[in-house]
Amino acid sequence: MTTATTGSASVLTRLSTVLAPLAGLVLVLVLAAVTTPQMYTPDVVRIVLFQVGIIGIAALGQTLVLLTGGIDLSISGAMAMTSVVLAVTTGGSDGRLVAGVLLSLAAGLAVGLLNGGLVVLRGVPPFVATFASLVLVQGVVIAWTGGAPSGRIPAGLSWLGQGRVLGQVPVPVVVFALLALAALVVLERTTAGRRVYATGFNPDAARLSGVRPGLVVVGCYVASSLLGVVAGMVNASYIGYVDAALVRSLNLDSIAAAVIGGVALTGGRGRVGNTLLGTVMLAVLLTWLIQLGAGAGARLVVSGAVIVLAVFMQGRPVRIPRITAREKDTT
Amino acid sequence: MTHPTRRRGPRRRVLTTTVGLAALLVAAGCSTEQEGSSSSSGSSAAEDCINADEAQAEYTASWTSVKEAFGLTDFEPVDETVCQVDGEQWKAEPKQGDSYRIAFAAQGPTNSWGVLSDEALKYHAKELGVDVLYAAANGDATTQVDNIQQLTSQDPDAMVVVPMGDGISGQVKAAVDQDIPVVLCSGLLPDSSGAVSTVTRQYDLLGSAYAEWIAEKLGGKGKVAILSGLAGVPTAEYQKAAAEKTFAKYPDIKIVTTQYTQWSPTVAKTVAQNLIASYPDLDAIWSDSGYGALGVVQAYQEAGKAVPPITGDSINEFIQATEGTDVQYALSTFPPEMSSTCLDTALDLLKGEPVLDKVYVDSPSFTDADGAQYARDDCDGGLLVPSSAPEDLLVDLKMCKAS
């Protein structure tokens, strides 16, 4: 009986990690309906979906790294770098688009390997390693472009940021959906996915089980950087120009989306569904605040408060009172 | 002032208030006989102001040129007292060797504005045979505090500072206290900094000129959205405050929302898409940047809606994107190449020549009526046009192609 009760408590505790962000999302949606009815017009829904797409792609990479117990602060660097690589190598010409994309992916691969290498081979804390990578990438971009990144993104890529499926659904959210589905399958249905969880939950135990945690960690950092490149392509093609201020807040957004959804900062806990939930909530929240006409200060306060609340709840999971056999007898 | 923030780019003709001013002042005698001559502001501070009338005339001229360019009927300068600095106090021979060494506490090449600001000063220094001690803050005030301390320790003849924030005032004061004349460049600091002269484009002017253009365009009635750059950053907030003050004169103009674009066309485009949904009957958009305006134009065009009258600084890409359209706009510039004027001002001080305590740089302003002529297909989209930076410098920086 005790085991069964404990099992129920565990299920409920796990459910709470989904229910809490879901409740938050419902709350925001209701508040939005009351305060800004235009939130539900097709135009605004499309804005939300676009935000879901761009934040979600970056958040997927962040989720993989978080699951291993790390964090990736270089995602925005990979995005900015992609924009510059695309513009500089293609000169805005569709003819060189493939080369530009391949070079962007190669650059993303290099950043991912650097992050993974620093963390695994040198034992550098992920926060420090990826922040160093971010600074390094920024430095390389400044040195390469003389500090004035500029140029156009090939028009042939505009469908990625500006296109709509069936005339309504922004392409970025479709890309995110496909990538999320792939991540879901890999994490939930493959050996590789189980190794990711095992590594994040207990790397020593994983090693004893024959998993090579280092390889898993490096793989996740590489995947994160490559997803950052994809997010960078989406963002660059959305505006069509190199935008030096393009991805200033994407690091925070990607972490926030995963954490709000319930992915643990300590590693080993969290699912793609959590990230999806957190991404949708963040996108709705950010759009709602703009619709409300909230100032930048209010937006940061609300976003920060939601993240703090999410982290707080992660640290103190909902506890279900355990009924012992003795208590059972007395009733 | 955090200039990573500053998204302004180069432009062609910077008509600085220093042009001919020295001659004017010298001709006027530069004497203290004119002390107490009242400026148009009528400030009590003007009582101790040297050459107040001439200085004030130069100040007023920068407002008049924008008034004429935008075709404004009601646009007067805000009160400001501009005086002449006694250059004799700072007259000095080079401390080392035959040429002056000028310390340059720069923003650093964090964006195209910063690149051209840095390089224009270095280019001009080379022309004049002046040595430059350079330190880049990379847009960070804390870094700049350290930079100024290090530059001061090298005992330069004078220092030019592109201020990254009020937090550097103490270091500027310390440099001045060591008899190093400091010229602030492309930004402001409190008077307590002790800087000898400030060379900048006036934020009040830009913010209020854009607002006045919109007010007159709307006949004093309508709904307006304000798109500022970065919240809390002085370069953005000064302009926004000036705009709000101007709009307040028109009771029938309603500011329906104030948003921040981070001076990013991408962010501005997202914000504008929200504006279209929330305020479909918006009459005009006050934007402090061309990058912001560019995102707005894209959002409206993609939505198949007419772009409301809009303002901003004149980046090449915006002018190109609106060429052949009926978008109504008013643009001006915050020229990075004014750094060469900053250098001239520092050197004037060392030569004992008269300079103003506030040199308000004038630069081209224009509307959609004549904007197309400034588009440059041979130059980068981020270039602020028209640029007065030397052509060979623009080519060297790969901002323009060689002709």
Side-chain angles (χ1 to χ4, degrees):
Chain A
M1 182 58 84
T2 304
T3 308
T5 310
T6 306
S8 302
S10 174
V11 169
L12 283 171
T13 301
R14 263 187 299 166
L15 266 179
S16 72
T17 64
V18 176
L19 291 176
L22 197 58
L25 176 60
V26 170
L27 179 66
V28 173
L29 288 172
V30 170
L31 285 173
V34 174
T35 56
T36 53
Q38 71 271 15
M39 271 292 288
Y40 295 94
T41 59
D43 285 342
V44 181
V45 170
R46 268 197 297 274
I47 296 170
V48 173
L49 289 176
F50 176 83
Q51 292 292 327
V52 168
I54 193 75
I55 296 173
I57 295 168
L60 278 178
Q62 195 68 255
T63 300
L64 292 172
V65 173
L66 286 172
L67 285 176
T68 65
I71 194 166
D72 191 350
L73 300 181
S74 66
I75 288 183
S76 64
M79 294 178 71
M81 177 186 67
T82 300
S83 176
V84 172
V85 169
L86 276 175
V88 173
T89 58
T90 65
S93 163
D94 285 342
R96 299 180 208 155
L97 179 57
V98 174
V101 169
L102 290 175
L103 280 171
S104 299
L105 290 171
L109 180 68
V111 173
L113 286 173
L114 177 64
N115 287 335
L118 286 171
V119 171
V120 174
L121 299 179
R122 304 302 302 167
V124 180
F127 182 92
V128 177
T130 56
F131 185 70
S133 290
L134 173 67
V135 175
L136 181 66
V137 168
Q138 287 176 334
V140 168
V141 167
I142 287 176
W144 185 22
T145 63
S150 59
R152 296 189 178 212
I153 307 301
L157 200 64
S158 62
W159 62 272
L160 189 59
Q162 301 172 28
R164 292 179 191 171
V165 176
L166 303 176
Q168 293 296 329
V169 184
V171 169
V173 77
V174 176
V175 173
F176 167 57
L178 294 173
L179 290 169
L181 188 64
L184 181 73
V185 170
V186 169
L187 287 174
E188 307 281 337
R189 296 277 182 263
T190 68
T191 306
R194 283 189 285 277
R195 285 175 176 168
V196 170
Y197 283 107
T199 299
F201 194 73
N202 189 334
D204 292 331
R207 189 176 295 109
L208 292 172
S209 305
V211 176
R212 296 170 68 185
L215 208 56
V216 173
V217 170
V218 171
C220 286
Y221 277 106
V222 167
S224 178
S225 287
L226 292 178
L227 285 165
V229 169
V230 175
M233 287 181 195
V234 171
N235 225 346
S237 59
Y238 170 62
I239 194 71
Y241 310 105
V242 171
D243 182 353
L246 186 65
V247 287
R248 200 168 278 160
S249 61
L250 255 292
N251 270 340
L252 180 62
D253 286 348
S254 67
I255 296 167
V259 173
I260 289 171
V263 177
L265 285 166
T266 49
R269 281 196 297 122
R271 295 171 190 282
V272 171
N274 292 122
T275 302
L276 172 64
L277 202 54
T279 300
V280 173
M281 183 176 166
L282 191 64
V284 170
L285 188 65
L286 293 175
T287 305
W288 175 52
L289 289 170
I290 292 178
Q291 291 289 323
L292 267 180
R299 288 210 295 276
L300 287 173
V301 166
V302 172
S303 301
V306 170
I307 297 169
V308 168
L309 186 64
V311 173
F312 177 78
M313 291 189 70
Q314 280 192 0
R316 301 171 76 99
V318 176
R319 293 188 183 283
I320 309 299
R322 187 183 298 177
I323 302 174
T324 63
R326 181 177 296 175
E327 288 168 337
K328 186 81 177 172
D329 291 342
T330 58
T331 53
Chain B
M1 257 153 269
T2 310
H3 296 268
T5 62
R6 186 168 289 136
R7 308 282 315 207
R8 318 349 126 125
R11 65 242 50 225
R12 197 185 60 192
R13 261 175 304 152
V14 179
L15 305 173
T16 68
T17 51
T18 49
V19 174
L21 182 60
L24 179 66
L25 294 174
V26 170
C30 303
S31 75
T32 54
E33 288 172 10
Q34 294 190 29
E35 284 181 14
S37 57
S38 115
S39 71
S40 60
S41 68
S43 158
S44 60
E47 290 175 9
D48 300 323
C49 191
I50 307 172
N51 254 328
D53 286 342
E54 288 81 0
Q56 209 65 32
E58 290 295 331
Y59 166 64
T60 305
S62 65
W63 285 69
T64 305
S65 74
V66 177
K67 180 179 180 180
E68 291 171 353
F70 287 176
L72 304 176
T73 56
D74 180 20
F75 188 60
E76 299 302 325
V78 295
D79 285 350
E80 180 73 70
T81 303
V82 183
C83 302
Q84 179 189 314
V85 175
D86 180 9
E88 280 296 327
Q89 180 189 345
W90 299 101
K91 187 174 182 179
E93 293 298 315
K95 291 176 180 173
Q96 293 182 17
D98 297 332
S99 59
Y100 287 115
R101 292 185 312 137
I102 308 296
F104 183 28
Q107 169 185 308
T110 51
N111 55 34
S112 59
W113 190 95
V115 171
L116 199 46
S117 172
D118 288 7
E119 297 302 325
L121 185 140
K122 291 176 186 172
Y123 182 96
H124 193 47
K126 197 172 177 182
E127 284 180 329
L128 300 174
V130 173
D131 295 330
V132 175
L133 307 173
Y134 173 81
N138 288 330
D140 180 55
T142 308
T143 304
Q144 192 167 49
V145 165
D146 186 46
N147 286 350
I148 294 174
Q149 286 174 335
Q150 294 200 28
L151 289 170
T152 302
S153 70
Q154 296 178 56
D155 197 22
D157 294 296
M159 187 182 296
V160 174
V161 177
V162 180
M164 295 292 104
D166 288 358
I168 67 166
S169 297
Q171 278 62 43
V172 170
K173 180 75 167 57
V176 175
D177 288 346
Q178 291 182 43
D179 290 332
I180 299 169
V182 176
V183 174
L184 300 180
C185 187
S186 309
L188 305 168
L189 282 182
D191 289 344
S192 60
S193 70
V196 180
S197 180
T198 299
V199 180
T200 188
R201 179 82 157 135
Q202 204 176 17
Y203 296 112
D204 281 343
L205 187 160
L206 292 174
S208 55
Y210 294 155
E212 191 65 41
W213 178 79
I214 285 175
E216 295 191 13
K217 179 68 71 180
L218 301 183
K221 185 178 181 182
K223 294 179 180 175
V224 177
I226 286 181
L227 300 187
S228 187
L230 275 178
V233 173
T235 48
E237 297 294 356
Y238 288 152
Q239 285 196 57
K240 182 166 77 70
E244 289 167 342
K245 192 174 173 185
T246 302
F247 284 132
K249 294 191 304 180
Y250 298 90
D252 292 331
I253 286 186
K254 186 181 178 190
I255 299 171
V256 293
T257 186
T258 298
Q259 300 287 336
Y260 291 90
T261 65
Q262 299 175 30
W263 286 309
S264 153
T266 313
V267 176
K269 187 174 175 182
T270 304
V271 168
Q273 286 172 333
N274 277 284
L275 290 181
I276 292 168
S278 304
Y279 309 101
D281 54 349
L282 206 56
D283 295 303
I285 295 176
W286 181 97
S287 165
D288 63 356
S289 77
Y291 287 103
L294 181 62
V296 169
V297 167
Q298 268 202 15
Y300 273 84
Q301 287 177 339
E302 284 178 19
K305 297 184 184 296
V307 183
I310 192 167
T311 61
D313 54 8
S314 59
I315 61 165
N316 196 25
E317 193 74 66
F318 175 83
I319 299 172
Q320 289 175 328
T322 53
E323 213 167 349
T325 70
D326 56 359
V327 176
Q328 299 178 66
Y329 57 77
L331 309 176
S332 191
T333 54
F334 195 98
E337 62 268 26
M338 75 173 88
S339 57
S340 58
T341 304
C342 303
L343 178 61
D344 286 336
T345 304
L347 291 173
D348 285 345
L349 283 169
L350 293 173
K351 292 171 186 168
E353 294 175 5
V355 301
L356 298 182
D357 60 352
K358 300 184 192 81
V359 181
Y360 285 126
V361 170
D362 196 4
S363 66
S365 306
F366 52 89
T367 67
D368 50 282
D370 49 2
Q373 64 179 295
Y374 297 113
R376 290 193 60 174
D377 293 334
D378 61 329
C379 293
D380 182 76
L383 182 71
L384 281 160
V385 289
S387 174
S388 62
E391 273 304 306
D392 56 338
L393 176 61
L394 294 174
V395 172
D396 283 348
L397 295 175
K398 298 177 182 171
M399 290 180 171
C400 293
K401 293 174 185 165
S403 52

